[in-house]
Amino acid sequence: MTDGFFTSYIEVGIDLGNQCQEAVGGAKDAGPHMSTTTNARDLFGIVNAFAETADGKRAEKPSHLLNYFGYSYGTFLGQVFASMFPDRVGNMVLDGVLGLELPLGENFTEFTSNADGVIASFFVYCFEVGSSQCSFYTGSSPLDIYNRFNESFVQLDSQRARAENWANATDIEAALLTLKTTFYYAVASPAQIFNSLSDALVALEQALAIHNVALWTERIVALIGDPTPAGDANAELRLGTLCTDQSNKWYNKTLEDLRPALEHFEEVSIIGEIVSKSMLGCLGWSIEATDVFTGPFGGDTATPILFVGNTYDPISPASE
């Protein structure tokens, strides 16, 4: 992606951050109380309130313990709660566990390349099921199917299009963003997306052949949603937690300050830029949380926690 992709999210984040600072950024407003730590204290309060109800008093298991299932960000919230209140942990399952360095922002580049392993499996499974179930099937191996894809992919060179002032440079960039976003959703939900991904790649091939990628982009955006900042609904909810959990370390930084991290994202995965956009709005988020738990993490919980993961999780894979 070109710098325009990153600056678009940064600029919208600055504007949103200014609006939120004015609306809820005061000491007595909600903004300073959007951290994961505050969320954990809310869970604690909910459990205490339940224990006082009629249902709580006749519960089979101790009603002062939190029974909780969390996935994605919910695993970080679960870890924070368990570390703050280990004696209040009931039946807790954390699925797809985020490493603490990601949400805490000590090193936001701790992103793995497992996402590309999931994408690579598309070509393998497409070959295994054959042309009757995979419209993008071709050749005699998964590599042939990948090479067919790459013939389309290399044509979406947005940086070259900008540098050489191609007439359709804007369309090329929009198509590339849409394709990467489609892959992002496919990585998150391969069982649901792989079949439609096959049809989308056929359609991209056809659009490139008639030199009209804008038509393809319009069609795919109708299915996956707007991948630009305009389609980032409720961004303030994410930023209010993510940015404050990181103690606003990215506030007032510039694109050049982020360049090493962004280059890392681009190197490790074809969808690296799409993952990185979640952090870009933090450059404009000035509201600081009044309460951020920074450890120590871990502890002897009242009930053992069940951690669940798989080796090809794109963000939080299980590893040795």
Side-chain angles (χ1 to χ4, degrees):
M1 300 300 302
T2 65
D3 283 356
F5 165 74
F6 302 110
T7 56
S8 67
Y9 271 90
I10 292 172
E11 290 170 356
V12 168
I14 291 173
D15 183 57
L16 179 60
N18 289 336
Q19 293 182 51
C20 290
Q21 177 67 62
E22 181 177 351
V24 297
K28 296 182 179 181
D29 294 322
H33 306 284
M34 293 178 69
S35 69
T36 296
T37 305
T38 301
N39 292 341
R41 295 193 189 281
D42 284 346
L43 293 177
F44 183 83
I46 291 169
V47 171
N48 286 342
F50 173 72
E52 297 302 317
T53 66
D55 286 339
K57 293 181 184 302
R58 64 171 178 264
E60 181 177 349
K61 293 185 177 181
S63 57
H64 70 286
L65 299 181
L66 172 70
N67 298 317
Y68 176 85
F69 172 77
Y71 66 93
S72 188
Y73 164 75
T75 66
F76 178 60
L77 174 55
Q79 291 176 81
V80 170
F81 179 91
S83 299
M84 293 176 64
F85 311 110
D87 59 336
R88 305 299 291 274
V89 174
N91 297 328
M92 181 175 287
V93 179
L94 303 181
D95 185 356
V97 185
L98 284 179
L100 299 175
E101 69 278 355
L102 269 174
L104 288 178
E106 292 303 317
N107 186 358
F108 210 99
T109 60
E110 289 296 325
F111 172 72
T112 70
S113 59
N114 293 65
D116 284 11
V118 182
I119 294 171
S121 72
F122 165 78
F123 305 109
V124 175
Y125 291 134
C126 181
F127 176 75
E128 289 183 354
V129 300
S131 58
S132 63
Q133 297 183 60
C134 181
S135 58
F136 201 65
Y137 178 91
T138 192
S140 58
S141 70
L143 181 59
D144 289 335
I145 301 173
Y146 165 76
N147 287 334
R148 178 182 176 181
F149 156 73
N150 202 44
E151 288 178 5
S152 296
F153 183 59
V154 296
Q155 295 182 60
L156 300 180
D157 190 340
S158 62
Q159 295 201 21
R160 181 183 175 190
R162 287 292 181 191
E164 298 182 4
N165 295 315
W166 293 1
N168 66 341
T170 299
D171 292 342
I172 291 290
E173 187 166 11
L176 179 62
L177 173 59
T178 302
L179 178 62
K180 285 176 177 280
T181 303
T182 302
F183 272 132
Y184 176 82
Y185 290 134
V187 165
S189 303
Q192 288 75 36
I193 305 297
F194 269 12
N195 190 55
S196 55
L197 175 61
S198 176
D199 294 339
L201 293 179
V202 171
L204 175 61
E205 198 173 54
Q206 295 168 344
L208 286 166
I210 62 173
H211 306 288
N212 192 351
V213 292
L215 183 64
W216 176 84
T217 300
E218 182 180 355
R219 172 184 169 187
I220 301 303
V221 165
L223 298 175
I224 68 170
D226 186 351
T228 70
D232 191 10
N234 301 318
E236 66 274 13
L237 303 183
R238 182 185 72 253
L239 298 178
T241 303
L242 174 66
C243 306
T244 57
D245 281 350
Q246 298 173 357
S247 300
N248 304 80
K249 67 173 292 184
W250 297 107
Y251 178 59
N252 265 343
K253 299 291 186 180
T254 67
L255 179 59
E256 290 309 309
D257 292 326
L258 292 181
R259 190 73 67 184
L262 296 177
E263 289 177 352
H264 171 81
F265 279 115
E266 293 170 343
E267 289 170 0
V268 298
S269 176
I270 191 175
I271 61 170
E273 301 101 320
I274 308 305
V275 176
S276 74
K277 70 183 184 181
S278 64
M279 68 187 283
L280 298 176
C282 287
L283 276 63
W285 193 267
S286 61
I287 303 174
E288 296 183 19
T290 58
D291 191 9
V292 177
F293 180 78
T294 58
F297 286 90
D300 186 11
T301 55
T303 311
I305 299 173
L306 176 62
F307 294 96
V308 181
N310 64 76
T311 55
Y312 273 109
D313 188 299
I315 303 297
S316 51
S319 58
E320 295 181 1

